[in-house]
Amino acid sequence: MPKPEHFVAPFDENEMAEVDKVKLNEKPSNLWRDAWRSLRTRPLFYLSLAAVLVIVLMALFPTLFTHVSPTDDCQLANSNGGPAAGHPMGFTRQGCDVYARVVWGARTSLTVGVLATVISGVIGIITGALAGFYGGWVDSVLSRIGDIFFSIPYILAAVVIMTTLADYRSVWTLAFAIGGFAWASLARILRSEILRVKSGDFVMASIATGRTRFKTLLSHVLPNSMTPVIVYLTISLGGAIVAEATLSFLGVGLGPSVMSWGNDISAAQSSLRTAPMTLIWPSIFLTVTVLAFITLGELVRDALDPKARARG
Amino acid sequence: MTQESTPVTDTHEPLVSVQDLQIGFQTGNGFVQAVKGVSFDIFPGETVAIVGESGSGKSTTATGLMDLLPSNGRITGGTVMFNGKDLTKVSKSEMVGIRGREIGYVPQDPMSNLNPVWNVGFQVREAVLANGMAKNKKDADKRVVEVLKEAGLADAERRVKQYPHQFSGGMRQRVLIGIGLAADPKLLIADEPTSALDVTVQRVILDHLESLTREKDTALLLITHDLGLAAERASKVIVMYQGKIVESGPSLELLQNPQHPYTKRLIAAAPSLASQRLKSSRVEVAEAPQGDEIDLVAAAAHRHDVVEHADHAGTPAIEVKDLTKVFSIRRGSFRSEPFTAVDKVNFTVPRGTTMALVGESGSGKSTVAKMVLGLETATEGEIFVAGKDATVLTGKEMLEHRRRMQPVFQDPYGSLDPMQSIGSIIQEPLDVHKIGDRKSREQRVNEVIDEVALPRTVLSRYPNELSGGQRQRIAIARALALKPDVVILDEAVSALDVLVQAQILQLLADLQEELGLSYLFITHDLAVVRVVADDVAVMEKGKIVEHGSVESIFSNAQTEYTQKLLDAIPGANIPLGA
Amino acid sequence: MLMYVVRRILQAVPVVLGTTFLIYFMVFAMPGDPILAMFGDKTPNPAVYEALQQQYHLDQPFLVQYALYMKDLFSGDLGTTFSGQSVADVLARTFPVTLKLAAMAISLEFVLSVVVGLVSGLRKGKLFDNVMLVVGLILLSVPIFVLCFVAQYFVAIKWGWASPTVGADTSVGNMWLPAVVLALSLFTTGMRLMRGTVIDTRSRDFVRTAYAKGLPGRRVIPVHVLRNSLIPVVTNSAANFGVLMVGATVTEGIFNIPGVGNTLYQAIIRGEGPTVVSFVTVMVLAYVVINILVDLLYAILDPRIRYA
């Protein structure tokens, strides 16, 4: 084996950078700004955002979309009729305008969806955060309670509640029936995220400066654990809308007099063979709404955590 | 460059001849060139080391040789001649034939490189069968046991049926070395084979790797960040910087007579080499370091003078008496048993000095730090900080106690809240302690950012925009904001590249001198201790086994364990010129 | 391993007690006469009323009611349905049908998830992957009853490939359409899980080491990538058994399949409160039991737990 040469590269070939120097961009960047930058480039983001906005507008101002009354202008003569001038989607079995009913139905879906999500969000965040951060017996007690709620599929629980509360059916009871049982998975997600975040040295550093544990939880741990919560809540808003529709479909949602996509689909099933479009139109609105929320949630997740995209 | 590294006169053919190798990665920000024209030869049976910091392209070069690049990487130019074939041009199936049989590979992290769902025997057998080292199942089983025995697993027959999680890190690395050498390849590529292991285990594994490759006359390409380790193990060292070779040559010559400014910088900053020089060069380090170059030897000598004048008589900054921590560990499902992590530990840190607490993982050193910081409660014992027992403090007194003592943690990526700007991170301690008004707090933030030598423009930035070293400066600035007396440094420089590490060590020394700080320095790295500490306590299994001044420990270690730790410093036995 | 099994079963005890108590509480701790409330706007005849009062021990204090109810539950007395049949008898008749439907749906879901997930994961970012991501997103968003109606209308009514309702003939040939619908409703979760773990596993260090050993891709993919990725997908599919025991309610109702779900569906639609409560309790217990089995299955597949 030959003795190796002592090779030295010309000094000017590699410019020696100053040790440990990082070039800073002009604009400061952080998680949210980066996420926004990446969201802005996704056409799907605008599409689902637009869909959500339209649904929200429909829920708030249905008269912007239709002047036909969904209940008063019904004529049995039009029963299951096809599209006609001013009635682009035809008529229901009761002779009501399908388009008007679909527009007015958005309000129920959205209200129940939002309320149920807020309820499950509040319960889930409080229990998940306390269980994850404090550990020990707090965790044991809260997690066991969570296990119990997790073991009852929330549609079933809602069925039971709505059956017993048949006389008290309202948007609120429905929202509680759905949200009151859907929080357990959020609590689990947040708990494990908090366990991950709290092991970070910056939490230790904050406590070492003299901050109380509770204030550290609020100022450092929770803000850093919110990504999966936001994503979960956006997606579960879609889930709550499905739950409302399913319960209405089963006849244990809001009363049949309330306009809701679930009720309409339920009422239309007997006409499936003769007038399938009376069932398909509310189904399309329901599906598109849910799709918009779920897509939005997933796009936000992709933007906040580029690795999640790979993991799917 | 090409002519220089290819010997013209020798009749020996090199085993591997790399010419002008270029490798790049497709990233979110376009195509990035990671290796920019690298050329070197490896002769049969020779050990060559590539040394560099993270991002130098050393690992990319190694994985590029056997086409193990991640899917977004590809070779963009150059040739790799091996056995008359150009490895950059061979077909996929030819490469499969070369891997394992001709070129073996030992990865860095033993914890993640074995498949957790297959037993160890299965994973070795795969390598044996794939490379035609056995004809039938019986032969293969026999060969598996042989391979594992060679790799240093004494009870190989019993262990083949076990799963990776039942092995320790060192054991797993032995299995991986066994797999790498299973088919007696002509070249073994070892990519930081011991960086993830405890220092004493590192040495044993490297010794074993060395004797195995010598026995089988296997050439070894060793990738490492540690110049001392490279020089100790390899006959030829290649120094890489930003994707290029800046200097290469016989290891001793390179170390004793470095030519390129980057190599000089690396050698000056490497604590393992610096501590080695310290003995001989104490007298002649009077000459000041030039320019912005950091020389650890000079720094250490300088601080030694300062410490001589430190106040050893007054109240010590920290005094720990019979400190004990007992955890309860779950055994099985229903029982838990007590585990003594820290066992009657005693030490004092005199005001204005640095005391190093050294030990391997699991020795209990970090638990001591946490108890001193009040982040874990002590099971027994007392911790006096400036004369006050910190274990009995509550409420307001505890807050006052915390003001005097601030931590800097190991992970510069994890110790800063990613959601907060640098300014509010540094200001947080001031807010918590309600010191001054808004204006005076801002002023104090500006002061400390000056003290750690960062521009004030970083205050509006977020941690993810800064480098590891800069983040560690921010962590130090946050610790200094409250004007503490004591700073607890928990592995504060372990995650940094050598040059950055040297800079931070320098900064810590300067700050200590300026502000009269006392440091409790927790580390696993004895080499660093030599250049920063005044006193050392060596911990093993929760107990302090040896305690004394740096000089006495290094020149005259009393316990076998300390001696083992000292021997494990790579490069400690290389005679360095002058 | 044995300790793991014992621990897992012990963990389920508070869950079983808690879930049954919660359901019981929801029904009987509400204001007003619980029996009348269960019947909604209908009025039960006195005999039924009395039978129910006895079944739920309504003359006792609440906690005693619950304790007696639990005693009945575990001695196999699950109550009577509205039409006077014993719930246990109805279960014995309907359970095999639901099990068969679930088995069909899950086998299909598993195969689809693994195949599509594996191909998508290996060809991440390619056309197939992108198409499957969109398909998955849509299937995830369509409520199950919409999916049922779409299948019923197009496949059965319009194209005539299957009968729109199942009825008494519960052969595989007659139940394939609802099974496909259920499989599709579960497909996205399984497929994404498979795709995600394949991508994740592929970039793991041990896969690179497997290549470095000299193994060809045709061995590395099945032995190291597929085998490791299967663990979460198998357990997910197994957990779907629990979901289907419960979630087949709507599907069985729409397709008129004589299973457990359909019985519940009919009871809900007719507002037969007592039957609903009995069936929900049984289903939740089944769900808990299946989740225990899933955890045990996970332990068997993952040596890190098996040999812990």
Side-chain angles (χ1 to χ4, degrees), chain C residues 30 70 80 147 152 233:
Chain C
M30 298 292 179
M70 283 305 286
T80 35
L147 201 58
Q152 213 174 29
V233 181

Side-chain angles (χ1 to χ4, degrees), chain C residues 177-194:
Chain C
L177 187 59
V180 168
V181 167
L182 286 174
L184 288 180
S185 76
L186 300 171
F187 163 73
T188 306
T189 325
M191 182 270 279
R192 288 184 171 189
L193 198 60
M194 184 68 192

Side-chain angles (χ1 to χ4, degrees), chain B residues 357-386:
Chain B
L357 203 53
V358 187
E360 295 184 285
S361 54
S363 63
K365 57 186 193 303
S366 281
T367 312
V368 171
K370 283 195 182 125
M371 284 191 285
V372 174
L373 281 166
L375 297 172
E376 289 272 8
T377 51
T379 312
E380 251 176 73
E382 294 155 317
I383 304 160
F384 293 96
V385 175

Side-chain angles (χ1 to χ4, degrees), chain B residues 431-508:
Chain B
D431 294 340
V432 170
H433 290 266
K434 304 195 175 68
I435 288 169
D437 53 10
R438 204 172 61 86
K439 235 181 146 178
S440 70
R441 283 178 204 174
E442 267 170 30
Q443 199 192 334
R444 178 69 190 141
V445 170
N446 283 332
E447 272 169 39
V448 288
I449 205 80
D450 292 346
E451 273 171 5
V452 298
L454 282 174
R456 289 183 185 184
T457 48
V458 303
L459 290 176
S460 61
R461 301 289 174 162
Y462 286 83
N464 65 321
E465 298 178 87
L466 305 182
S467 71
Q470 288 172 331
R471 288 183 217 212
Q472 208 58 315
R473 282 169 190 265
I474 302 294
I476 294 170
R478 171 178 54 192
L480 293 180
L482 290 171
K483 301 186 179 164
D485 305 324
V486 182
V487 179
I488 316 279
L489 302 153
D490 189 356
E491 298 273 15
V493 296
S494 311
L496 304 173
D497 269 332
V498 238
L499 292 179
V500 182
Q501 178 180 318
Q503 258 188 357
I504 299 288
L505 290 176
Q506 176 83 61
L507 173 70
L508 287 172

Side-chain angles (χ1 to χ4, degrees), chain A residues 221-300:
Chain A
V221 182
L222 258 188
N224 277 288
S225 314
M226 285 320 274
T227 308
V229 174
I230 292 166
V231 170
Y232 179 85
L233 285 180
T234 320
I235 292 175
S236 77
L237 185 58
I241 291 174
V242 172
E244 183 275 329
T246 309
L247 293 173
S248 296
F249 172 78
L250 288 172
V252 290
L254 297 166
S257 60
V258 180
M259 265 170 300
S260 127
W261 294 333
N263 277 343
D264 283 3
I265 295 171
S266 177
Q269 58 178 317
S270 55
S271 323
L272 183 62
R273 281 167 195 272
T274 46
M277 292 319 278
T278 57
L279 187 147
I280 287 175
W281 280 117
S283 300
I284 289 178
F285 271 70
L286 175 60
T287 307
V288 168
T289 308
V290 176
L291 188 63
F293 279 111
I294 292 183
T295 311
L296 208 55
E298 304 209 327
L299 287 175
V300 170

Side-chain angles (χ1 to χ4, degrees), chain A residues 6-7 9 20 202 209 220 224, chain B residues 246-248 417 428 433 467:
Chain A
H6 188 158
F7 161 78
D20 195 33
F202 67 87
T209 63
H220 293 291
N224 277 288
Chain B
V246 292
E247 190 163 356
S248 70
D417 185 342
E428 181 183 357
H433 290 266
S467 71

